[in-house]
C-alpha cells in the first residue's frame, strides 16, 4: 500500500486500480471476464489476489503489501 495513492487504500500491482473497486464489481455480479475486458492491464491472478486479500482481512490475518496468489 502506498499512502500517496488512493489515500493508502490497497491497490493492484502499483496500478491506479483499487482492490475495493474490483471487489465491488464482483459483488455486483460482474464476471471475471467482464473485469478483465474493462481493465485490460489486469490479469486473472490480480482478481484472485483481491479475493485473497478480502478473505485475509475478514479473518483477521496480517495482510502485507503484496498478497501472493500461490496459496489458492
Amino acid at each position: 500500500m502506498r499512502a500517496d495513492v488512493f489515500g493508502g487504500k490497497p491497490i493492484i500491482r502499483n496500478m491506479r486500480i483499487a482492490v475495493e473497486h474490483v471487489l465491488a464489481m464482483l459483488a455486483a455480479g460482474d464476471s471475471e471476464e467482464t473485469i478483465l475486458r474493462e481493465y485490460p492491464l489486469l490479469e486473472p491472478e490480480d482478481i484472485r489476489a483481491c479475493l485473497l486479500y478480502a478473505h485475509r482481512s475478514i479473518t483477521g490475518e496480517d495482510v502485507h503489501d503484496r498478497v501472493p496468489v500461490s496459496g489458492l
Side-chain angles (χ1 to χ4, degrees), residues 36-50:
L36 294 173
R37 185 175 54 250
E38 291 185 18
Y39 295 91
L41 294 176
L42 290 181
E43 299 175 3
E45 294 80 16
D46 296 323
I47 295 172
R48 287 192 293 279
C50 289

Side-chain angles (χ1 to χ4, degrees), residues 1-29:
M1 277 181 278
R2 290 180 38 191
D4 59 333
V5 178
F6 290 124
K9 292 180 181 179
I11 58 172
I12 300 168
R13 291 189 293 122
N14 292 320
M15 293 187 266
R16 292 190 172 271
I17 303 172
V19 170
E20 70 180 78
H21 183 72
V22 172
L23 293 173
M25 291 179 74
L26 291 169

Side-chain angles (χ1 to χ4, degrees), residues 31-38 47:
S31 67
E32 181 177 311
E33 292 78 21
T34 298
I35 296 169
L36 294 173
R37 185 175 54 250
E38 291 185 18
I47 295 172

